[in-house]
Amino acid sequence: MTNDAQPRTQWLGRWGFVLAATGSAVGLGNVWKFPYMTGEYGGGAFVLVYLACILALGVPVMMTEIALGRRGRGSPIDAIRRVAAESGGASLWSLLGWMAMLCGFMILCFYVVVAGWSFSYLWKMLSGGLAGSSVDDMAAIFGANNESPLNLGFWSTLVTLATMVIVGKGVQAGIEKSVSWMMPGMVVMLLIMIAYGAFSGGFGDALHFLFAFNAGSLSSEGMLAAMGHAFFTLSLASGAILTYGSYLPRNASIGRTTLTVAVADTLVALMAGLAIFPVIFANGMEPGSGPGLIFMSLPLAFQAMPLGTLFGVLFFIMLSMAALTSSISMVEATVSWLTDNKGISRRAAAWGTGIVLWIISTLAMLSFNVGAEWTLAGKHFFGWLDYLTSRWMMPLGGLGMVLLAGFVLKSETLREELGLSPAMHALWLFMVRYVSPLGIVVIFVDALGIATLDFGEQWPWLLLVLAVIAVIGELASPRLKRVLSA
Ligand code: TRP
């Protein structure tokens, strides 16, 4: 039984979903977060683990999520409950949907603050507020921008309003059109920055920093961060992709769609790295400067390059737009749940959500000025939102979804939904049953200090353990299915 009987909006064009999912995936995570995390965790090893996580966790989880959304035709909570029920699974599985919805909302609460940085830098570019010639000048400008809650609050409020206006207008009108010109624009801007970087003197160091993979050198903390970021950058386990999947027409190929989105997202992240690190090395800046990294480095490049102001303005327009296409995807789950279940209009749902968002995001914004001292275990509120979602909620949500798909759902359900060839289906099943769950568990075990793992040396053992678990799992899967469905 599928839920085609219920009318639900669908994407307009064949490319609608791909565009919207790419718009959700490509955002501040690629241009702001990926470079600064790579800088913080020391470069190549982080990049390598991140790429491995995209392949081994991101792609299988994204396929699963789209399939769950399309099969259940609803918000994460409703879709997961329906799909689980269809296979006789417990209604408790819908807790996964609740966690995803909460997670997307929590991310949004700090995301609008960072998007606000981008908007404020666009304004600074236009009004000439970025004059300065050294790293110290740029750090001072970034600091001053954060200092006043009124200033910073103005920008995050603006982002909140813009997000709600677009979401209130609905999926097709708001989302599809904006993404189709923004993505190419972003790529062109990054190419210009890379070309500039190639002549600026720091390019060799940047290449070395990003791609000198030495896998043994990453801390457990870094490994957990790389896994969390793989989920974050693909917008997984937080309701966005699942809800977008619920608008996907039956005839679209989930596998091909997922690969397109994952490849585009990864390319944009690597391009952002290649655009930003040459500037950092050429100016003797510290790669581990934290969340302000791109805002302190890129303006230096714009100052020095020909037509810099023009490119700077265009760059921050693109970044702000990329942030908006992501932020709208984070509220979509909540709004679709409210409209489906509470009988209120899309517009009312958007504004109701927006008010709560505004209050919490204002608290997050205060972490950079008056609330800097309000910390718990060394993290301020903004830091906690980021930490809880990326390190814990998304990986755990992803784990739940692959277990649901791998062991609980009837095998025909996903065979129908995914429509893969038998060999590809077997590969997908092997990934969601063993590779993805084990990867997530191993990284948690390592990060929690239950056991210290040295992947550089122990990977043959890990493969062996994986093989043994896979064999046992295949033999025990009927029973496992009964336990998990209970
Ligand atoms: N993927 C987006 C980025 O890289 C962030 C994002 C959008 C997101 N929607 C999400 C992250 C939902 C988690 C959940 O910027």
Side-chain angles (χ1 to χ4, degrees), residues 24-30 107 111 232-236 238 240 326 329-330 394:
S24 167
V26 175
L28 296 167
N30 307 61
I107 291 172
Y111 205 83
F232 183 89
T233 192
L234 293 176
S235 311
L236 296 177
S238 43
S326 298
S329 75
M330 292 180 227
M394 282 190 265

Side-chain angles (χ1 to χ4, degrees), residues 262-322:
V263 167
D265 185 78
T266 307
L267 285 181
V268 173
L270 294 178
M271 284 171 66
L274 282 177
I276 287 156
F277 281 105
V279 183
I280 287 168
F281 290 117
N283 291 284
M285 202 178 153
E286 180 52 51
S289 304
L293 191 69
I294 66 162
F295 298 102
M296 298 193 263
S297 58
L298 288 182
L300 278 179
F302 293 130
Q303 299 264 308
M305 68 205 273
L307 295 179
T309 307
L310 176 67
F311 289 141
V313 168
L314 289 176
F315 179 86
F316 284 112
I317 289 180
M318 293 300 159
L319 186 61
S320 304
M321 293 295 119

Side-chain angles (χ1 to χ4, degrees), residues 209-481:
F209 183 74
L210 285 169
F211 299 114
F213 297 136
N214 40 351
S217 71
L218 194 61
S219 62
S220 334
E221 180 64 19
M223 211 110 58
L224 190 62
M227 172 169 73
H229 187 63
F231 281 100
F232 183 89
T233 192
L234 293 176
S235 311
L236 296 177
S238 43
I241 293 295
L242 197 151
T243 310
Y244 279 8
S246 75
Y247 309 130
L248 187 67
R250 291 231 69 80
N251 53 10
S253 152
I254 291 180
R256 214 166 305 143
T257 309
T258 299
L259 282 184
T260 313
V261 177
V263 167
D265 185 78
T266 307
L267 285 181
V268 173
L270 294 178
M271 284 171 66
L274 282 177
I276 287 156
F277 281 105
V279 183
I280 287 168
F281 290 117
N283 291 284
M285 202 178 153
E286 180 52 51
S289 304
L293 191 69
I294 66 162
F295 298 102
M296 298 193 263
S297 58
L298 288 182
L300 278 179
F302 293 130
Q303 299 264 308
M305 68 205 273
L307 295 179
T309 307
L310 176 67
F311 289 141
V313 168
L314 289 176
F315 179 86
F316 284 112
I317 289 180
M318 293 300 159
L319 186 61
S320 304
M321 293 295 119
L324 277 182
T325 53
S326 298
S327 65
I328 51 187
S329 75
M330 292 180 227
V331 240
E332 190 56 32
T334 309
V335 168
S336 91
W337 182 76
L338 285 171
T339 49
D340 288 353
N341 292 282
K342 300 289 162 203
I344 53 179
S345 72
R346 184 169 245 287
R347 188 169 305 239
W351 290 107
T353 313
I355 290 169
V356 182
L357 168 67
W358 183 77
I359 295 169
I360 304 178
S361 66
T362 298
L363 287 176
M365 177 276 290
L366 293 179
S367 294
F368 292 95
N369 35 67
V370 295
E373 305 294 316
W374 308 340
T375 57
L376 186 67
K379 280 190 197 8
H380 48 42
F381 185 58
F382 179 100
W384 272 106
L385 288 172
D386 181 14
Y387 177 80
L388 285 176
T389 50
S390 280
R391 308 287 167 93
W392 299 98
M393 296 169 77
M394 282 190 265
L396 286 176
L399 180 63
M401 289 197 215
V402 287
L403 291 178
L404 174 67
F407 293 107
V408 177
L409 299 184
K410 291 204 192 85
S411 62
E412 311 88 74
T413 307
L414 286 154
R415 221 177 281 276
E416 266 173 44
E417 254 351 287
L418 295 171
L420 298 167
S421 69
M424 289 310 284
H425 192 84
L427 177 64
W428 170 83
L429 193 61
F430 180 73
M431 297 297 283
V432 296
R433 279 192 168 173
Y434 308 110
V435 180
S436 314
L438 220 69
I440 296 171
V441 169
V442 162
I443 292 179
F444 273 135
V445 163
D446 188 54
L448 289 173
I450 298 171
T452 317
L453 301 163
D454 177 353
F455 294 87
E457 303 223 329
Q458 293 170 343
W459 65 266
W461 289 106
L462 286 170
L463 285 187
L464 187 68
V465 171
L466 174 66
V468 171
I469 293 187
V471 171
I472 297 175
E474 286 306 304
L475 294 175
S477 83
R479 170 160 316 170
L480 212 57
K481 184 172 172 150

Side-chain angles (χ1 to χ4, degrees), residues 150-192:
L150 277 181
N151 172 59
L152 204 55
F154 169 78
W155 295 107
S156 57
T157 303
L158 190 72
V159 176
T160 306
L161 281 173
T163 304
M164 294 310 158
V165 168
I166 304 177
V167 172
K169 278 194 189 312
V171 194
Q172 293 127 341
I175 301 173
E176 289 190 49
K177 274 194 215 100
S178 50
V179 187
S180 53
W181 60 270
M182 253 184 43
M183 281 304 125
M186 186 84 221
V187 168
V188 171
M189 288 318 299
L190 287 172
L191 284 175
I192 292 172

